[in-house]
Every structure is written in C-alpha cells, then in structure tokens.
Amino acid sequence: MAVTTQLSHPPSLSKTRTFAFSQNPFLETPILLFSRTKTCPKPLKAVLSQNPANTLTQETTPFKHCFTKSSDGFLYCENLKVQDIMENVEKRPFYLYSKPQITRNFEAYRDALEGLKSIIGYAIKANNNLKILEHLRQLGCGAVLVSGNELRLALCAGFDPNRCIFNGNGKLLEDLVLAAQEGVFVNVDSEFDLENIVAAARLAGKKVNVLLRINPDVDPQVHPYVATGNKNSKFGIRNEKLQWFLDAVKAHPNELKLVGAHCHLGSTITKVDIFRDAAVLMVSYIDQIRAQGFEVDYLNIGGGLGIDYYHTGAILPSPRDLINTVRELVLSRNLNLIIEPGRSLIANTCCLVNRVTGVKTNGTKNFIVIDGSMAELIRPSLYDAYQHIELVSPAPTNADISTFDVVGPVCESADFLGKDRELPTPSKGAGLVVHDAGAYCMSMASTYNLKMRPPEYWVEEDGSVAKIRHGETFEDHIRFFEAL
C-alpha cells in the first residue's frame, strides 16, 4: 500500500516523497520503504412551516461514515487502519481526510441539482487546503470567497472566476479591484460596500456583475455565532432599503450590472423548511427587482446545511432534501441557483488524530490529556461545539470506562476538545481522534503557545495516503523575523 506525500512548498509543487506500507494493509507494524523523486417594498417576515402536511419526505438511508470502527476494535478510514497511518507519519497531531468522501459529498449536491441551472460554490473559508480546492475544482465546483487572499487562492487552484462569488461585509478596495479584473460575481452588502465596488469597477475598467445580499430576517435556529440572516446580523442589507440600492445600481450603469439576489441564513441548519421560507421571500424580491427592468437571473440561497456531529444515527436533511425545497421556486422564475456549501461538503471527511499524553484526576474530574489542543481545533472552545471523540484502537481489556474531559496542553482552562465523554481509560501514547474536523478546524488553527499548525494527509481512492500540507515548524516561525 503506497503512501505518497505531496510537498507543497510555494511556488513549486513539483517535489514528491513516496513511502510504502508492506503489502498487507492491516499489519500491526508496517514497514517503511522510502524513495524520493523531484517531480424597497415593505419588508416581509418568514414564518417557519409548522403544518405536518407540508413536512418534507427526507431520505431515510443513514449516512455511512468514511471513518468506521470495525469489529476488531480498530478505527478505519476507507478500509485503512488509522493506527497504521499514525505509525508511518510525523509523531504529532495531524488532520486525516478521505478524498473519496469529498468526492461523494460533492456528487450528492451535483445529483440533487440535476435539471437546474446551478453553481455549487464551495465556501473556501471552511477549509482552504490547496490540494482539496484543486480536487473540488476538478469535480466541477465554483468557489465562494470572503477575502482577497481567498480569491487569490481560488485563482491559484484554477477555479473559473465566472463561477466564483465574493462575499463579505467589509471587502477592501484593492481586493474588489482584483475581483473586477477577474470577472468574479460580487455581493453588495452595504452602502459603503456598493461605493467601493463602483470605485473598483472604475479602477479596473470593468463592469462588475453584482448580487444584492438581502437580509431576510429568518431565524435559522442555530447558535447565535453562526446565524447570519436575522435582522441584527452584521451581514446584508435590510429589505426595506432594497429600493435605495436599486436606484444606486441604476445610477451606475457603466460600473454595475445587477444579476441576482443573495441571502445566507447561517450554519449547522438542520431544518430545510427554513431554506424554503427564505427562498419564498427572495423570489418575491426578485419579482420586484425584475419589475423595474433588471435582468436578474441568479438566486443565491447560501449554504449552511448541518451534519451529524453527535454520531447518534440521526437522519438529517440531505443535499437533495435541501434542493427539493426550492426546486419549483427556482424553475418557476427560470433562475440559475447558486448554493454555497462548506461544512456539508468537507466536515465529515476528516478527523484530527492525536496521541494520549496521560490521564489524571483532579477532585471529581477525570482528564485525558492529548497532544492536540484548541490551537489545532478551536470549535469546542470558541462556541462549545460538540465533535465526536473515540480511540483508534482497542483499549486494554482491564481498562475502566469513565467519564473524561478531553483536554490539550495549552495554558488555558478553555483548552478542551470534549467534555464529559464516556471512554475506556486509554494507555499512554494511544491514538484518539476528534471526528468531523474538515470544516472550520484547520482553517481556524493558530500557533498559540507556539503549537505549530499540524500537517494534513488524505487517503486516496487507491488506498494510498498522501501528504497534502506540511506541518509548520519552529523554524518557520523564526523566519518571520529574519533580516529585521
């Protein structure tokens, strides 16, 4: 079983390193073989659907996770034992992905959108690994951007600018100039944002295709930190100001072309009726916009579909459930549908793999201390997010099962990956994974306490393991201060 490590030192991506497991993929102690080669109308308010007769029929096939615990007590990723991978990579926390699962997640959206004119715009903020972006682009994704550097990265990954959407409530002029030059769709988020887009269009000498990001004031029923479509959100324009923005666009015919309307409700949404409620409002706004002579062809309903972080077997809405809630509305207006999945494309494809440093008890609390931390994965510390945790190999037969907080070595009481988890008492050095770590984990990692950002690997379709990002080192940190 080959393990191919792709080096990604900029600007060249030509270096590769290859090492191989012995031919039996399930050996307890694989052998490493190394070789190297260089190679507005009055506002409308959505009412959430309550009528059981209108309840959607959702898919009832439970999601099959790419990480599975086998009857032998070991955790596997696409039939490859995670323990074997741990023994053949750097001895530090690392992110491990399933490339086939990324493909399967994309295909679920692609198949759901059959019969519609559409753009699947992957939200780069969820995970900005260049190799993952290149793979999604090859599958047919567009990109959703929230910074100038994300735009630059999308271009590096080869995304078609005409399938890219630039979001954000504080876009900078120089980044908007680049977006205008490249022909990227730009969402208008405020009065000053519109002024900056007009200035960028003049500097670039290009007319910009814009969508109005309308705040529909719909409660997505999620954590307030990830709610973006209610009236107190910093995002979008208030619907009662719609006419002001339409008049402003009309006043700049050489700089702006209004092509669509956009909304984004939030993240981790598990009730697809919420998307339909928003789409009903958005289609009404599009009707009003078209009535004033604008040729509006795009409806962007954002992203935000949730996943089963708890691993309880809950049947959550699928991409098909989501698309089916808005399909008839989109077809009735002959619209191009833009969706912006991030979490639902990438989260469940990845684990953060850690090693147990030790076990301790203080007072009535038991702790499993691992080498990973809030620096590598901050979601639990940031907004008390839950992510499933388990050991990668069977615990000793005499191991007690206890309730633990799983914590890292960072000098903060907030440094935890999970609280009150029932687990077998692990041995020192045992592997422990935090599941569903593909979204908003590595992209939010830091070097706090000089815990350098970890490497990333993925399991390929052929069962090989490729390195897709180098881990940062202390020497990388020191280089920021050279020649100062």
Side-chain angles (χ1 to χ4, degrees), residues 293-335:
F294 292 98
E295 296 179 3
V296 173
D297 296 320
Y298 290 89
L299 169 61
N300 185 338
I301 61 170
L305 194 63
I307 67 164
D308 181 16
Y309 277 112
Y310 287 86
H311 287 215
T312 59
I315 306 301
L316 297 181
S318 69
R320 187 174 298 278
D321 294 324
L322 167 59
I323 300 307
N324 283 347
T325 64
V326 301
R327 176 180 294 275
E328 292 308 316
L329 284 168
V330 172
L331 289 172
S332 71
R333 303 308 196 276
N334 192 29
L335 291 165

Side-chain angles (χ1 to χ4, degrees), residues 223 225 373-375 377-387 406-408 410 412-419:
H223 191 288
Y225 284 14
S373 71
M374 66 184 291
L377 196 160
I378 199 173
R379 291 185 70 251
S381 300
L382 182 62
Y383 37 75
D384 203 27
Y386 182 99
Q387 293 180 234
V406 179
V407 301
V410 162
E412 294 283 348
S413 295
D415 178 27
F416 65 91
L417 283 301
K419 290 186 174 182

Side-chain angles (χ1 to χ4, degrees), residues 163-367:
R163 294 173 61 81
C164 292
I165 304 95
F166 192 9
N167 290 339
N169 69 304
K171 299 182 286 291
L172 300 179
L173 178 59
E174 57 266 33
D175 297 333
L176 287 167
V177 170
L178 176 62
Q181 291 170 339
E182 296 293 336
V184 170
F185 290 107
V186 179
N187 279 331
V188 177
D189 191 88
S190 65
E191 293 89 343
F192 69 79
D193 195 38
L194 186 141
E195 292 173 3
N196 284 336
I197 297 168
V198 169
R202 290 171 178 168
L203 289 169
K206 296 281 189 69
K207 183 181 291 190
V208 180
N209 290 324
V210 298
L211 295 86
L212 295 179
R213 178 167 181 169
I214 302 172
N215 185 324
D217 195 10
V218 171
D219 178 10
Q221 303 177 33
V222 297
H223 191 288
Y225 284 14
V226 292
T228 59
N230 52 41
K231 66 180 180 181
N232 294 319
S233 172
K234 72 174 184 176
F235 298 103
I237 65 175
R238 294 291 298 142
N239 44 37
E240 61 265 26
K241 291 187 176 181
L242 177 59
Q243 189 60 53
W244 184 94
F245 283 92
L246 296 179
D247 292 340
V249 171
K250 290 176 185 175
H252 298 93
N254 297 322
E255 293 85 11
L256 306 176
K257 180 180 180 182
L258 180 58
V259 298
H262 170 268
C263 71
H264 194 290
L265 305 179
S267 194
T268 69
I269 298 171
T270 58
K271 298 179 180 179
V272 292
D273 279 359
I274 293 171
F275 288 99
R276 177 173 176 81
D277 291 336
V280 168
L281 292 176
M282 296 304 295
V283 166
S284 174
Y285 294 135
I286 287 174
D287 288 343
Q288 296 164 26
I289 294 168
R290 284 176 166 175
Q292 297 192 37
F294 292 98
E295 296 179 3
V296 173
D297 296 320
Y298 290 89
L299 169 61
N300 185 338
I301 61 170
L305 194 63
I307 67 164
D308 181 16
Y309 277 112
Y310 287 86
H311 287 215
T312 59
I315 306 301
L316 297 181
S318 69
R320 187 174 298 278
D321 294 324
L322 167 59
I323 300 307
N324 283 347
T325 64
V326 301
R327 176 180 294 275
E328 292 308 316
L329 284 168
V330 172
L331 289 172
S332 71
R333 303 308 196 276
N334 192 29
L335 291 165
N336 292 271
L337 180 64
I338 301 175
I339 57 170
E340 302 180 348
R343 185 189 314 274
S344 57
L345 267 182
I346 197 69
N348 61 29
T349 71
C350 176
C351 282
L352 176 65
V353 185
N354 312 271
R355 287 176 173 81
V356 173
T357 304
V359 177
K360 65 182 291 186
T361 299
N362 276 346
T364 60
K365 271 286 186 182
N366 301 315
F367 299 92

